Amino acid sequence: MDFSSFRVYDLEQPRYFEAPIFPSHAPGFVYALHRRHEQGASQARTSASGTIFMAEHSGTHIDALCHQAEDMHLYAGQAVNSQIQTPTGFTALGVETIAPLLARGVLFDVARAKSVERIEVGNPITSADLQATAQAENVTLRKGDVALVRTGNGALWHDAPAYLRAGGMSADASSWLASLGVRAVGADNVAWDEVGVIDPDLQVSLPGHLILLVRYGIYIIENLNLEELAQDKCYECTFLCLPLKMRGATGSPVRPIALAPGNGQS
Amino acid sequence: MDFSSFRVYDLEQPRYFEAPIFPSHAPGFVYALHRRHEQGASQARTSASGTIFMAEHSGTHIDALCHQAEDMHLYAGQAVNSQIQTPTGFTALGVETIAPLLARGVLFDVARAKSVERIEVGNPITSADLQATAQAENVTLRKGDVALVRTGNGALWHDAPAYLRAGGMSADASSWLASLGVRAVGADNVAWDEVGVIDPDLQVSLPGHLILLVRYGIYIIENLNLEELAQDKCYECTFLCLPLKMRGATGSPVRPIALAPGNGQS
Amino acid sequence: MDFSSFRVYDLEQPRYFEAPIFPSHAPGFVYALHRRHEQGASQARTSASGTIFMAEHSGTHIDALCHQAEDMHLYAGQAVNSQIQTPTGFTALGVETIAPLLARGVLFDVARAKSVERIEVGNPITSADLQATAQAENVTLRKGDVALVRTGNGALWHDAPAYLRAGGMSADASSWLASLGVRAVGADNVAWDEVGVIDPDLQVSLPGHLILLVRYGIYIIENLNLEELAQDKCYECTFLCLPLKMRGATGSPVRPIALAPGNGQS
Amino acid sequence: MDFSSFRVYDLEQPRYFEAPIFPSHAPGFVYALHRRHEQGASQARTSASGTIFMAEHSGTHIDALCHQAEDMHLYAGQAVNSQIQTPTGFTALGVETIAPLLARGVLFDVARAKSVERIEVGNPITSADLQATAQAENVTLRKGDVALVRTGNGALWHDAPAYLRAGGMSADASSWLASLGVRAVGADNVAWDEVGVIDPDLQVSLPGHLILLVRYGIYIIENLNLEELAQDKCYECTFLCLPLKMRGATGSPVRPIALAPGNGQS
């Protein structure tokens, strides 16, 4: 397979302490260098390395199916009990069960379609918005695809308080995507769903988490950077995402990329 | 790009506490679940998540160029000083500077070529071994490729003490690969090089680390699982590896995959 | 208060990575130095500091009352629910509720009384052993005291596998101490109780944890070093222990000391 | 030793995530509960416990002598080199070398003596202030004592931004205390010294750190809570502080207490 004629889009936000983090996952990402290159070592070669303390839901990451439950059941009716949910992680539906994601990706640049800089809180993205966006972009979402929804919020990554005031999806946007049989969804905001709103039908917050992860077994990727993809109006791409097989974890940091025919400069 | 006719090989070893770890990077990987699905929550939807404490050089991982220095200089003559090497990581040549690796991969199944179960300590892999292996496999390594060297040790991942007694590369194997202009190298052992041996010419331990990372700017991927690839005699593949952009870190856990024409079952 | 005529006994074992740790609390204690004294700083004064990753039950530590439950109830009938037990710790009976311990301490040197080097597994310390020891030492335990029981195991701290094979208390030793109204108990082993034995009456492992923490509200201190105190036959002392007020934690590392009339050399 | 007629003052601030932290030591203190009391366990007794990630200089803590250097030398002329300063901590002058502190404590309630609510930035406490305070309190500091200086800032612990704007000591206050041969000093602020000011004579920031730790070998205790002691005008006390013996660490969280004759209610 020859990638030389493809452009590579990097969809991961940079990782650093004090990057935006959803409060449940604070302090997010902490890196400390403890082995150093130092004068006076016993040989010419020296090594440096460090330690990482992080939430698996920090930065750009994918949610495993075990991350969410509805009435104490995970996806596919798997009951939560102490054999499944343990102090060191889940023995079913953990992030290590996610196969590499290699799929057609479709970008829904909703911010552009709605002619706004970014989707604001209080005005969540609906299925109608997604359908109008697809029509404007002349793309069709298909079974097995990964749906990438741009709120425009990704441009605010370096301003954590602004980033965390992000808008997001309504429940019916998630339901529509689920009904099409997508393999995964992703967005350039902190929680896919609009934060802090109770869905009137489902009576839960973050309804997309319940619909997608628990009811349909569809992965959610959060904190994507879709700015470059949008700038190039790259509405169809080859999407690659390789979650780490951390046994029992409820998610994984990832560096998704998108490939699209182009001049091969990434 | 259609992957449906390709087979996906997963080259990442599973991550869990007490997996093999090079002593400098102990305790390796620790995951603790702290948010739980619980009865009696205020709504039907519940979330579970945890924290990770790990060395960036735990499990299957890639070494950034700042990981190694020779006489206090990194790759390309970059002097190590306190502007470059800081308590929270490097400001040059950190892992966040590694572009996604999408390249032709060539598997050198040296264990098979030498008709041994695995390469033992005391008998490191030489450039002659690599050349004989390539000839036996009828493959040619080219500039920009990723060289994957199988010692056979990857099959021992679940037996940490055995795994850590791994054999590895001699300095001249690294030199030969570097001379061909590969983009990255990888192996199914803990440190690429044979551990604990001082190279007589360079007068350093882990000479490949010095040659590849410092002198040539070639990345090293460690703790790969090459068993399945070898079993299928898949000597040429498309290799994909997406390091996390952890600012200033000296490496990143990764889940590399190999793609090869096949029946599309992974 | 003048301490100059008192001898100070240090009852804390040293803390370091790979010190003995009960498996549930692995990897125990990890310290990494990340800020360094370095040449070429902008001023003559430089700072060094690091990060600690640890289990609160690592090394010499005290158990908070919330550490244990019986049929989902903590001490004093406090039901465990999601208001009390949260992802970031307990909102009742956490370690921050332990007042400084300043009490009369009584050393039960059972190993000496039984003329053994140390109490072995399979032969747990009984109330009869404690009473015989007190008689041999000519001391009387009183309400409010801290009972320090020496198994002899503390001398093995630097040999983790040997240390972890420690003997410990039977249920009736804990019951007897509880009946006397002690404020806290402590021992020079990993878990106070003998590990891995189901008490025939209570049908639980670690019965002392249930009796002392849940039923009587008596703190347990583990991994004490009682060697020096025993050597000096110091059977009565002033015991001081100052748990850290880590909100919601189930225990705290501590450095207990014992004071006894003496030459003031510590 | 009978403590029943003594009042115990607790000088430790509570520990929790988002408590005030000096920026170099962020994120301070993080506790996550991972083992839980759960319904349906195999026996009636259940255990809960967690993990702690923290800087050793978080919350109320003591600085070890290795924490500071002057021109790459620690206290007593100990040169900093790679044998002394290692990735896992210091092999000399680490916090594990601090003996239990049992000493006469003298409270300098400077805020009260100056009739201000708290010492503000820009107006650091001088030796003259300390002497005037001692005179007003009718106490004399002696060799071997612990000097506790109240800025009034401790009352702001629960308001991190306000707390971190604290005032502190001038260099000459530290010099005067050092000249008297105190064993340790402590204050109710984040860094003893006033933060962010370069001392005109020493040409360093945090000059007290250099004077006390490096030149005199005197420990510094930070983030004390001296409010209750001040309220009771308890200017002389018995001061107890028991640093954890964390091998090689540059400091330790502590829970210091003060004892004073009283009604025995703590």
Side-chain angles (χ1 to χ4, degrees), chain D residues 5 15 29 36 41 71-72 74 78 110 122 124 142 149 168 170 180 205 215 220 226 255-256:
Chain D
S5 65
R15 296 176 192 279
F29 173 84
R36 299 277 191 106
D71 289 326
M72 292 302 281
L74 307 177
Q78 172 71 65
V110 182
R142 298 193 292 250
V149 183
S170 67
L180 292 178
S205 58
R215 296 193 175 173
I220 304 176
L226 303 172
R255 184 184 193 174

Side-chain angles (χ1 to χ4, degrees), chain A:
Chain A
M1 200 174 300
D2 185 7
F3 294 106
S4 62
S5 65
F6 282 81
R7 172 148 186 191
V8 178
Y9 293 91
D10 187 342
L11 310 184
E12 186 200 23
Q13 297 281 10
R15 294 176 194 281
Y16 52 88
F17 181 57
E18 296 190 331
I21 187 74
F22 194 72
S24 312
H25 306 298
F29 174 83
V30 184
Y31 179 71
L33 189 75
H34 76 298
R35 296 170 70 235
R36 299 278 191 106
H37 303 304
E38 285 183 279
Q39 302 281 3
S42 62
Q43 53 174 254
R45 186 187 62 77
T46 53
S47 297
S49 62
T51 60
I52 296 164
F53 178 73
M54 66 174 172
E56 77 263 51
H57 295 271
S58 58
T60 308
H61 68 275
I62 190 166
D63 291 350
L65 299 185
C66 66
H67 177 44
Q68 296 290 304
E70 179 178 8
D71 288 327
M72 292 303 281
H73 286 77
L74 308 178
Y75 175 63
Q78 172 72 66
V80 176
N81 58 40
S82 59
Q83 278 70 53
I84 294 295
Q85 183 178 236
T86 83
T88 57
F90 285 81
T91 58
L93 302 176
V95 77
E96 76 277 22
T97 64
I98 306 182
L101 291 167
L102 311 169
R104 178 170 173 262
V106 172
L107 174 67
F108 293 80
D109 188 349
V110 181
R112 180 186 181 87
K114 298 187 82 160
S115 300
V116 295
E117 201 172 354
R118 64 188 60 90
I119 303 303
E120 303 287 351
V121 165
N123 192 19
I125 294 172
T126 63
S127 61
D129 292 331
L130 294 178
Q131 292 174 58
T133 302
Q135 194 162 23
E137 294 174 353
N138 198 26
V139 292
T140 305
L141 191 66
R142 297 194 293 249
K143 189 168 186 304
D145 286 354
V146 174
L148 305 170
V149 184
R150 180 175 175 267
T151 66
N153 194 60
L156 299 174
W157 186 251
H158 293 283
D159 179 352
Y163 185 87
L164 294 173
R165 284 192 298 272
M169 310 305 141
S170 66
D172 94 302
S174 294
S175 291
W176 180 71
L177 292 167
S179 72
L180 293 178
V182 293
R183 181 140 174 236
V185 302
D188 57 347
N189 65 358
V190 74
W192 174 257
D193 294 282
E194 184 173 313
V195 173
V197 179
I198 298 291
D199 180 72
D201 293 329
L202 294 168
Q203 289 294 311
V204 299
S205 58
L206 308 183
H209 278 65
L210 186 152
I211 295 164
L212 294 162
L213 293 166
V214 186
R215 295 192 176 173
Y216 283 85
I218 295 168
Y219 307 115
I220 304 174
I221 306 169
E222 288 155 340
N223 297 321
L224 288 166
N225 182 346
L226 302 171
E227 294 307 290
E228 213 181 355
L229 210 57
Q231 206 164 7
D232 283 5
K233 300 180 187 168
C234 179
Y235 301 127
E236 275 189 274
C237 66
T238 296
F239 178 82
L240 303 176
C241 178
L242 303 171
L244 299 173
K245 291 186 296 185
M246 305 186 295
R247 191 180 285 171
T250 72
S252 172
V254 289
R255 184 184 194 176
I257 59 170
L259 302 175
N263 62 0
Q265 298 166 346
S266 68

Side-chain angles (χ1 to χ4, degrees), chain C residues 173-218:
Chain C
S174 294
S175 292
W176 180 71
L177 291 167
S179 73
L180 291 178
V182 294
R183 180 139 176 234
V185 302
D188 57 346
N189 65 359
V190 74
W192 173 258
D193 293 282
E194 184 173 314
V195 173
V197 180
I198 298 290
D199 181 71
D201 293 328
L202 293 169
Q203 288 294 310
V204 300
S205 58
L206 308 183
H209 278 65
L210 187 151
I211 295 164
L212 294 161
L213 292 167
V214 185
R215 294 192 177 173
Y216 283 85
I218 295 168

Side-chain angles (χ1 to χ4, degrees), chain B residues 191-205:
Chain B
W192 174 258
D193 296 280
E194 185 172 313
V195 173
V197 180
I198 298 291
D199 180 72
D201 294 329
L202 293 169
Q203 289 294 309
V204 299
S205 58

Side-chain angles (χ1 to χ4, degrees), chain D residues 17-31:
Chain D
F17 181 58
E18 296 190 332
I21 188 74
F22 195 72
S24 312
H25 306 297
F29 173 84
V30 184
Y31 179 71

